mmCIF file of all heavy atoms in Angstrom:
data_model
loop_
_atom_site.group_PDB
_atom_site.id
_atom_site.type_symbol
_atom_site.label_atom_id
_atom_site.label_comp_id
_atom_site.label_asym_id
_atom_site.label_seq_id
_atom_site.Cartn_x
_atom_site.Cartn_y
_atom_site.Cartn_z
ATOM 1 N N MET A 21 64.326 122.756 98.560
ATOM 2 C CA MET A 21 63.019 122.620 97.832
ATOM 3 C C MET A 21 62.961 123.676 96.648
ATOM 4 O O MET A 21 62.598 123.278 95.483
ATOM 5 C CB MET A 21 61.825 122.950 98.722
ATOM 6 C CG MET A 21 61.621 121.792 99.681
ATOM 7 S SD MET A 21 60.172 122.214 100.739
ATOM 8 C CE MET A 21 60.072 120.749 101.824
ATOM 9 N N LEU A 22 63.412 124.847 96.955
ATOM 10 C CA LEU A 22 63.383 125.897 95.969
ATOM 11 C C LEU A 22 64.328 125.442 94.794
ATOM 12 O O LEU A 22 63.963 125.596 93.614
ATOM 13 C CB LEU A 22 63.932 127.184 96.602
ATOM 14 C CG LEU A 22 63.365 128.443 96.191
ATOM 15 C CD1 LEU A 22 61.885 128.492 96.400
ATOM 16 C CD2 LEU A 22 63.988 129.649 96.929
ATOM 17 N N SER A 23 65.453 124.955 95.095
ATOM 18 C CA SER A 23 66.426 124.502 94.093
ATOM 19 C C SER A 23 65.761 123.410 93.230
ATOM 20 O O SER A 23 65.937 123.355 92.022
ATOM 21 C CB SER A 23 67.690 123.992 94.729
ATOM 22 O OG SER A 23 68.232 124.880 95.616
ATOM 23 N N PHE A 24 65.069 122.415 93.946
ATOM 24 C CA PHE A 24 64.432 121.389 93.156
ATOM 25 C C PHE A 24 63.323 121.902 92.272
ATOM 26 O O PHE A 24 63.185 121.428 91.134
ATOM 27 C CB PHE A 24 63.916 120.346 94.166
ATOM 28 C CG PHE A 24 63.630 119.079 93.485
ATOM 29 C CD1 PHE A 24 64.627 118.223 93.018
ATOM 30 C CD2 PHE A 24 62.259 118.692 93.287
ATOM 31 C CE1 PHE A 24 64.282 117.039 92.345
ATOM 32 C CE2 PHE A 24 61.988 117.492 92.644
ATOM 33 C CZ PHE A 24 62.981 116.672 92.142
ATOM 34 N N ILE A 25 62.620 122.875 92.768
ATOM 35 C CA ILE A 25 61.537 123.419 91.914
ATOM 36 C C ILE A 25 62.176 123.979 90.646
ATOM 37 O O ILE A 25 61.706 123.844 89.581
ATOM 38 C CB ILE A 25 60.783 124.534 92.705
ATOM 39 C CG1 ILE A 25 60.004 123.879 93.834
ATOM 40 C CG2 ILE A 25 59.929 125.387 91.826
ATOM 41 C CD1 ILE A 25 59.337 124.884 94.776
ATOM 42 N N LEU A 26 63.331 124.662 90.799
ATOM 43 C CA LEU A 26 64.056 125.239 89.704
ATOM 44 C C LEU A 26 64.463 124.184 88.703
ATOM 45 O O LEU A 26 64.328 124.358 87.534
ATOM 46 C CB LEU A 26 65.308 125.993 90.136
ATOM 47 C CG LEU A 26 65.049 127.361 90.785
ATOM 48 C CD1 LEU A 26 66.369 127.949 91.165
ATOM 49 C CD2 LEU A 26 64.278 128.299 89.810
ATOM 50 N N ILE A 27 64.890 123.046 89.251
ATOM 51 C CA ILE A 27 65.258 121.923 88.387
ATOM 52 C C ILE A 27 64.063 121.465 87.634
ATOM 53 O O ILE A 27 64.199 121.068 86.433
ATOM 54 C CB ILE A 27 65.860 120.741 89.251
ATOM 55 C CG1 ILE A 27 67.172 121.193 89.904
ATOM 56 C CG2 ILE A 27 66.006 119.516 88.464
ATOM 57 C CD1 ILE A 27 67.725 120.179 90.854
ATOM 58 N N GLN A 28 62.923 121.472 88.245
ATOM 59 C CA GLN A 28 61.724 120.929 87.608
ATOM 60 C C GLN A 28 61.096 121.929 86.634
ATOM 61 O O GLN A 28 60.248 121.570 85.832
ATOM 62 C CB GLN A 28 60.731 120.497 88.669
ATOM 63 C CG GLN A 28 61.166 119.372 89.524
ATOM 64 C CD GLN A 28 61.375 118.134 88.745
ATOM 65 O OE1 GLN A 28 60.582 117.793 87.802
ATOM 66 N NE2 GLN A 28 62.419 117.436 89.023
ATOM 67 N N LEU A 29 61.463 123.190 86.799
ATOM 68 C CA LEU A 29 60.701 124.211 86.055
ATOM 69 C C LEU A 29 60.688 124.121 84.489
ATOM 70 O O LEU A 29 59.640 124.129 83.909
ATOM 71 C CB LEU A 29 61.232 125.628 86.366
ATOM 72 C CG LEU A 29 60.475 126.307 87.506
ATOM 73 C CD1 LEU A 29 61.076 127.703 87.737
ATOM 74 C CD2 LEU A 29 59.007 126.429 87.198
ATOM 75 N N PRO A 30 61.860 123.911 83.872
ATOM 76 C CA PRO A 30 61.756 123.761 82.410
ATOM 77 C C PRO A 30 60.972 122.560 81.971
ATOM 78 O O PRO A 30 60.941 121.575 82.707
ATOM 79 C CB PRO A 30 63.289 123.615 82.041
ATOM 80 C CG PRO A 30 64.047 124.009 83.168
ATOM 81 C CD PRO A 30 63.165 123.743 84.325
ATOM 82 N N PRO A 31 60.279 122.683 80.865
ATOM 83 C CA PRO A 31 59.465 121.537 80.362
ATOM 84 C C PRO A 31 60.347 120.345 80.151
ATOM 85 O O PRO A 31 61.486 120.413 79.635
ATOM 86 C CB PRO A 31 58.865 122.037 79.133
ATOM 87 C CG PRO A 31 59.670 123.248 78.674
ATOM 88 C CD PRO A 31 60.237 123.797 79.971
ATOM 89 N N GLY A 32 59.827 119.114 80.425
ATOM 90 C CA GLY A 32 60.577 117.872 80.221
ATOM 91 C C GLY A 32 61.606 117.695 81.318
ATOM 92 O O GLY A 32 62.087 118.622 81.963
ATOM 93 N N ASP A 33 62.077 116.429 81.497
ATOM 94 C CA ASP A 33 63.096 116.124 82.449
ATOM 95 C C ASP A 33 64.464 116.020 81.744
ATOM 96 O O ASP A 33 64.527 116.006 80.525
ATOM 97 C CB ASP A 33 62.761 114.954 83.348
ATOM 98 C CG ASP A 33 62.523 113.728 82.475
ATOM 99 O OD1 ASP A 33 63.360 113.404 81.657
ATOM 100 O OD2 ASP A 33 61.433 113.192 82.589
ATOM 101 N N PHE A 34 65.433 115.900 82.547
ATOM 102 C CA PHE A 34 66.761 115.891 81.920
ATOM 103 C C PHE A 34 67.063 114.694 81.023
ATOM 104 O O PHE A 34 67.697 114.791 80.030
ATOM 105 C CB PHE A 34 67.897 116.049 82.984
ATOM 106 C CG PHE A 34 68.281 114.744 83.612
ATOM 107 C CD1 PHE A 34 69.447 114.057 83.065
ATOM 108 C CD2 PHE A 34 67.621 114.171 84.624
ATOM 109 C CE1 PHE A 34 69.858 112.899 83.635
ATOM 110 C CE2 PHE A 34 68.020 112.949 85.204
ATOM 111 C CZ PHE A 34 69.108 112.329 84.705
ATOM 112 N N LEU A 35 66.340 113.634 81.367
ATOM 113 C CA LEU A 35 66.575 112.392 80.569
ATOM 114 C C LEU A 35 66.012 112.566 79.164
ATOM 115 O O LEU A 35 66.716 112.185 78.240
ATOM 116 C CB LEU A 35 65.822 111.228 81.282
ATOM 117 C CG LEU A 35 66.382 109.857 80.989
ATOM 118 C CD1 LEU A 35 67.803 109.829 81.370
ATOM 119 C CD2 LEU A 35 65.566 108.822 81.795
ATOM 120 N N SER A 36 64.810 113.129 79.049
ATOM 121 C CA SER A 36 64.249 113.319 77.685
ATOM 122 C C SER A 36 65.161 114.223 76.906
ATOM 123 O O SER A 36 65.403 114.038 75.710
ATOM 124 C CB SER A 36 62.834 113.763 77.795
ATOM 125 O OG SER A 36 62.745 114.856 78.697
ATOM 126 N N THR A 37 65.705 115.293 77.593
ATOM 127 C CA THR A 37 66.645 116.219 76.930
ATOM 128 C C THR A 37 67.844 115.433 76.511
ATOM 129 O O THR A 37 68.366 115.590 75.349
ATOM 130 C CB THR A 37 67.024 117.306 77.873
ATOM 131 O OG1 THR A 37 65.994 117.632 78.725
ATOM 132 C CG2 THR A 37 67.465 118.585 77.084
ATOM 133 N N TYR A 38 68.299 114.607 77.359
ATOM 134 C CA TYR A 38 69.494 113.817 77.123
ATOM 135 C C TYR A 38 69.313 112.923 75.948
ATOM 136 O O TYR A 38 70.135 112.826 75.015
ATOM 137 C CB TYR A 38 69.810 112.939 78.358
ATOM 138 C CG TYR A 38 70.973 112.034 78.333
ATOM 139 C CD1 TYR A 38 72.286 112.550 78.017
ATOM 140 C CD2 TYR A 38 70.853 110.689 78.558
ATOM 141 C CE1 TYR A 38 73.338 111.706 77.925
ATOM 142 C CE2 TYR A 38 71.923 109.805 78.505
ATOM 143 C CZ TYR A 38 73.190 110.346 78.198
ATOM 144 O OH TYR A 38 74.213 109.462 78.129
ATOM 145 N N ILE A 39 68.147 112.240 75.929
ATOM 146 C CA ILE A 39 67.813 111.261 74.804
ATOM 147 C C ILE A 39 67.739 112.051 73.540
ATOM 148 O O ILE A 39 68.319 111.684 72.460
ATOM 149 C CB ILE A 39 66.555 110.475 75.090
ATOM 150 C CG1 ILE A 39 66.712 109.668 76.255
ATOM 151 C CG2 ILE A 39 66.145 109.708 73.899
ATOM 152 C CD1 ILE A 39 65.497 109.041 76.884
ATOM 153 N N ALA A 40 67.060 113.180 73.614
ATOM 154 C CA ALA A 40 66.879 114.016 72.379
ATOM 155 C C ALA A 40 68.251 114.462 71.911
ATOM 156 O O ALA A 40 68.489 114.458 70.630
ATOM 157 C CB ALA A 40 66.042 115.221 72.701
ATOM 158 N N GLN A 41 69.120 114.765 72.788
ATOM 159 C CA GLN A 41 70.432 115.277 72.386
ATOM 160 C C GLN A 41 71.240 114.175 71.711
ATOM 161 O O GLN A 41 71.901 114.307 70.667
ATOM 162 C CB GLN A 41 71.196 115.775 73.625
ATOM 163 C CG GLN A 41 72.323 116.752 73.275
ATOM 164 C CD GLN A 41 73.157 117.061 74.512
ATOM 165 O OE1 GLN A 41 73.259 116.230 75.392
ATOM 166 N NE2 GLN A 41 73.665 118.189 74.511
#
Side-chain angles (χ1 to χ4, degrees):
Chain A
M21 287 179 179
L22 218 56
S23 309
F24 193 72
I25 292 173
L26 284 180
I27 292 176
Q28 296 296 320
L29 265 183
D33 56 55
F34 86 93
L35 205 57
S36 47
T37 327
Y38 177 57
I39 295 167
Q41 204 190 27

